[in-house]
Amino acid sequence: MSNTQQLHDFTTQVRRDILRMVHAVNSGHPGGSLGCSEFLVTLYQDVMQRNAGFAMDGINEDIFFLSNGHISPVFYSVLARSGYFPVAELATFRKLNSRLQGHPTTHEGLPGIRMASGSLGQGLSVALGAAQAKKLNNDTHLVYALLGDGELQEGQNWEAIMYASAKKADNLIATIDLNGKQIDGTTDEVLHMGSLKAKFEAFDWIVLDIPAGNDIDAIKAGLAEAKAKSGHGKPVCILLHTEMGNGVDFMMHTHAWHGKAPNDEQLASALAQNPATLGDY
């Protein structure tokens, strides 16, 4: 378990990793990665019960699936700094023959990656299958998944949402990165979805809200509540209200940095706002 200051310092370093990785290849998705940094750091460093090393089957440990795979920079940074593979490997992000592709893949055998997520809308289905497998194996650990709010505009998600409640997958905790933005604008402008809380509740899920989705203490409290609500016959959904580009002033409050790399001057400004805490790769 880590205290809030340790998690904050870890998050600051992860933000630096994201910015430097994307800048180095002039490619990638910094906005959503920065917005989910606090959540993934808290999940991996404070909440999930993880075994030493990595086994694809994830037996007798909590496991996580990233569905909105374009935010791979934050995922790779958190995995590396959580001990799954060398931090120095972050320097290979999106390079030819790298294990750290723009969207996570499994064929390269990168520790910590349990599914390829190049196509949006599939991660919840995979997480649901893993949750059912844990029940069949009498494994009482939890399955976590992260989805983007724009990703919910795709249809397969809703089949999985319906199926999860029908099969009482109460060991599944799905978090929605609710930043209200996607590559073409706001989610409301692209395809208004109404109340996600009402929709998930209509499909018989337990729904929790974390309004301060970039506040570590709020995330810790929300995830603790989600764990307490699991095991009661219903899957759990967390609506995590985040800010795209969080931690970098000029990347916040806009969708412009969904898939855009900073130039040299912008990188310097962004890094100045996030001083090194754990050491750069």
Side-chain angles (χ1 to χ4, degrees), residues 4 10 28 33 53 91 98 116 119 121 161 164-165 191 198 218 266:
T4 300
F10 199 110
S33 294
S98 170
S119 296
I161 291 164
S165 59
L191 183 61
Q266 291 164 335

Side-chain angles (χ1 to χ4, degrees), residues 78-279:
V78 170
L79 287 176
R81 294 190 179 275
S82 297
Y84 285 90
F85 56 87
V87 172
E89 193 169 351
L90 295 177
T92 70
F93 175 66
R94 278 188 176 242
K95 293 184 177 179
L96 189 63
N97 299 320
S98 170
R99 298 196 297 177
L100 278 61
Q101 294 298 305
H103 290 257
T105 66
T106 54
H107 69 276
E108 297 287 358
L110 185 66
I113 306 298
R114 289 193 167 89
M115 64 164 279
S117 47
S119 296
L120 293 177
Q122 300 177 5
L124 185 58
S125 298
V126 178
L128 174 56
Q132 290 188 290
K134 281 193 175 295
K135 283 182 173 288
L136 290 171
N137 290 328
N138 296 313
D139 182 346
T140 58
H141 289 82
L142 297 172
V143 176
Y144 294 86
L146 179 64
L147 298 81
D149 51 358
E151 183 182 6
L152 288 178
Q153 295 166 350
E154 303 197 20
Q156 183 174 324
N157 289 295
W158 297 98
E159 296 178 45
I161 291 164
M162 178 170 55
Y163 191 87
S165 59
K167 298 301 180 181
K168 303 186 186 305
D170 56 3
N171 57 341
L172 174 64
I173 298 176
T175 298
I176 312 302
D177 175 22
L178 199 60
N179 60 33
K181 301 176 185 69
Q182 57 192 91
I183 194 167
D184 293 320
T186 70
T187 51
D188 284 349
E189 290 170 340
V190 175
L191 183 61
H192 183 60
M193 292 181 288
S195 170
L196 288 179
K197 183 176 188 294
K199 283 180 167 59
F200 273 89
E201 287 179 340
F203 281 94
D204 207 25
W205 283 57
I206 297 170
V207 182
L208 306 176
D209 238 354
I210 304 182
N214 293 112
D215 181 87
I216 287 172
D217 285 330
I219 294 168
K220 290 174 71 172
L223 286 170
E225 183 179 4
K227 290 179 71 172
K229 296 285 188 182
S230 66
H232 295 283
K234 297 181 180 182
V236 177
C237 171
I238 299 173
L239 299 178
L240 183 75
H241 299 257
T242 67
E243 181 60 52
M244 183 176 283
N246 188 60
V248 179
D249 54 8
F250 61 86
M251 290 187 176
M252 298 169 65
H253 312 298
T254 174
H255 72 280
W257 295 92
H258 173 94
K260 174 184 174 183
N263 61 30
D264 293 349
E265 182 180 350
Q266 291 164 335
L267 175 68
S269 173
L271 292 179
Q273 298 172 50
N274 294 278
T277 54
L278 306 179

Side-chain angles (χ1 to χ4, degrees), residues 1-77:
M1 301 292 283
S2 303
N3 63 39
T4 300
Q5 186 59 52
Q6 289 173 321
L7 294 173
H8 175 78
D9 291 345
F10 199 110
T11 301
T12 301
Q13 188 66 54
V14 166
R15 283 200 289 263
R16 285 183 67 89
D17 291 345
I18 293 165
L19 293 161
R20 295 178 66 240
M21 290 161 67
V22 172
H23 169 265
V25 290
N26 193 31
S27 179
H29 296 77
S33 294
L34 292 167
C36 288
S37 295
E38 290 87 354
F39 173 75
L40 281 177
V41 166
T42 303
L43 184 67
Y44 270 85
Q45 289 295 303
D46 192 70
V47 174
M48 285 202 305
Q49 297 180 22
R50 301 184 288 115
N51 294 334
F54 175 72
M56 181 63 84
D57 57 26
I59 293 175
N60 294 322
E61 64 176 334
D62 295 339
I63 58 176
F64 169 78
F65 293 95
L66 178 68
S67 188
N68 49 333
H70 54 279
I71 66 167
S72 62
V74 64
F75 194 25
Y76 292 148
S77 173

